[in-house]
């Protein structure tokens, strides 16, 4: 039975897509069969794994509309053991199109029923908003990973996201767990980075992953080559961090 993990935070620039792509690739390297669903109209997770976004004809949009099956939308990518359901800028329109539909929050959940057992992990890269797309992802997911940037406004907006998760648990998905809070973009030389880590660990103690993702130039470079950090530079700090995160998640779910 596959586990569906949404990577969500309504703030942009916190390392959500970087985490989705590299967690998926790390799980793949650890011999898990992984499906990455790009649920962000910017389609960065798709292009970050070498997919030509312009040529995507069937993707997340068609699945949410139920006009195509997930099997039809799934394509291989540059990372071993990882398949992708890509996104396209068209996805922007889905929020408006789903508004009048019955069970609009359950469209993704219903679509994934047929393939959930075919993968060990299904990772959903959410859009940086708390709209209908993210709601669909949280309703379909078993758990959520929340990336938090080690910067001044890190905790701003976190309360809002946690409230959204609470209301999803109450109304749409009582089984939704918080897989963990993931500290990203950490720079050990900065006092601020260390303060944020202390603050988050103090407030949320065992909800926080032990793994911390450090600032790493290779992590920023990899997407422009259409590769995960594992393919791009397996010896980099970024690769080590994400492999450690994948191991932590596997261990937690054994």
């Amino acid at each position: 039975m596959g586990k569906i993990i949404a990577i969500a935070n309504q703030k942009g620039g916190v390392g959500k897509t970087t985490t989705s792509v590299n967690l998926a690739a790390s799980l793949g390297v650890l011999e898990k069969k992984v499906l990455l669903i790009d649920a962000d109209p910017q389609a960065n997770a798709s292009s970050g794994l070498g997919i030509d976004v312009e040529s995507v004809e069937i993707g997340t949009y068609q699945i949410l509309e139920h006009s195509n099956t997930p099997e039809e939308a799934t394509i291989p990518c540059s990372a071993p053991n990882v398949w992708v359901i890509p996104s396209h800028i068209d996805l922007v329109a889905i929020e408006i199109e789903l508004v009048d539909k019955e069970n609009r929050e359950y469209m993704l959940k219903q679509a994934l029923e047929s393939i959930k057992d075919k993968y060990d992990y299904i990772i959903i890269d959410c859009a940086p908003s708390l709209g209908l797309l993210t709601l669909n992802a949280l309703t379909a997911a078993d758990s959520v990973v929340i990336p938090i940037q080690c910067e001044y406004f890190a905790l701003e907006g976190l309360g809002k996201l946690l409230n959204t998760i609470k209301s999803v648990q109450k109304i749409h998905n009582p089984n939704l767990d918080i897989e963990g809070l993931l500290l990203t973009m950490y720079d050990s030389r900065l006092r601020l980075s260390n303060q944020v880590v202390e603050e988050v660990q103090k407030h949320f103690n065992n909800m926080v992953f032990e793994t911390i993702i450090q600032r790493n130039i290779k992590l920023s470079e990899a997407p422009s080559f259409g590769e995960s950090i594992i393919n791009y530079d397996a010896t980099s700090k970024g690769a080590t961090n994400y492999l450690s995160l994948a191991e932590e998640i596997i261990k937690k779910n054994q």
Side-chain angles (χ1 to χ4, degrees), residues 144-210:
V144 56
V145 168
I146 304 170
I148 298 174
Q149 198 178 355
C150 293
E151 298 207 345
Y152 185 64
F153 292 116
L155 297 176
E156 198 186 61
L158 185 59
K160 211 174 183 180
L161 177 61
L162 293 173
N163 284 340
T164 301
I165 289 170
K166 250 186 215 136
S167 71
V168 169
Q169 286 167 329
K170 205 155 58 191
I171 305 164
H172 306 297
N173 183 359
N175 301 321
L176 181 65
D177 274 333
I178 292 178
E179 190 75 30
L181 307 181
L182 176 69
L183 291 156
T184 63
M185 303 183 193
Y186 171 74
D187 186 339
S188 57
R189 297 164 305 181
L190 299 180
R191 207 168 97 215
L192 180 63
S193 267
N194 293 306
Q195 281 171 341
V196 171
V197 170
E198 274 172 41
E199 192 82 348
V200 172
Q201 287 172 339
K202 189 174 81 192
H203 281 294
F204 299 101
N205 52 46
N206 52 5
M207 278 166 73
V208 187
F209 284 111
E210 279 174 32

Side-chain angles (χ1 to χ4, degrees), residues 16-125:
K16 215 174 19 265
T17 300
T18 303
T19 295
S20 303
V21 165
N22 294 310
L23 173 58
S26 300
L27 288 165
V29 165
L30 296 170
E31 299 187 341
K32 299 293 176 190
K33 193 177 176 190
V34 184
L35 175 66
L36 175 64
I37 299 174
D38 192 345
D40 181 351
Q42 294 172 56
N44 292 339
S46 307
S47 60
L49 283 171
I51 290 161
D52 174 13
V53 178
E54 292 307 310
S55 65
V56 168
E57 283 174 16
I58 305 172
T60 311
Y61 178 85
Q62 284 75 15
I63 285 175
L64 282 161
E65 274 208 321
H66 292 184
S67 57
N68 287 90
T69 64
E71 287 90 342
E72 291 169 324
T74 302
I75 52 177
C77 69
S78 60
N81 292 328
V82 179
W83 286 261
V84 179
I85 292 181
S87 174
H88 187 275
I89 192 67
D90 286 359
L91 195 54
V92 166
I94 200 79
E95 306 234 343
I96 299 158
E97 288 175 28
L98 289 182
V99 151
D100 306 331
K101 294 214 171 158
E102 223 180 306
N103 292 336
R104 56 179 186 242
E105 296 90 352
Y106 297 92
M107 293 310 220
L108 187 58
K109 185 182 174 70
Q110 290 164 358
L112 296 181
E113 288 298 330
S114 64
I115 58 160
K116 196 174 174 186
D117 296 341
K118 294 181 181 170
Y119 297 91
D120 297 308
Y121 289 95
I122 297 176
I123 308 284
I124 308 173
D125 182 30

Side-chain angles (χ1 to χ4, degrees), residues 19 22-27 29-30 121 179 182-183 209-214 229-230 234 236-253:
T19 295
N22 294 310
L23 173 58
S26 300
L27 288 165
V29 165
L30 296 170
Y121 289 95
E179 190 75 30
L182 176 69
L183 291 156
F209 284 111
E210 279 174 32
T211 304
I212 294 177
I213 309 298
Q214 290 160 296
I229 189 64
I230 311 290
S236 67
K237 225 181 249 177
T240 313
N241 290 166
Y242 277 109
L243 277 167
S244 148
L245 174 66
E247 283 166 355
E248 206 175 323
I249 287 175
I250 290 170
K251 202 166 149 190
K252 205 171 168 182
N253 289 291

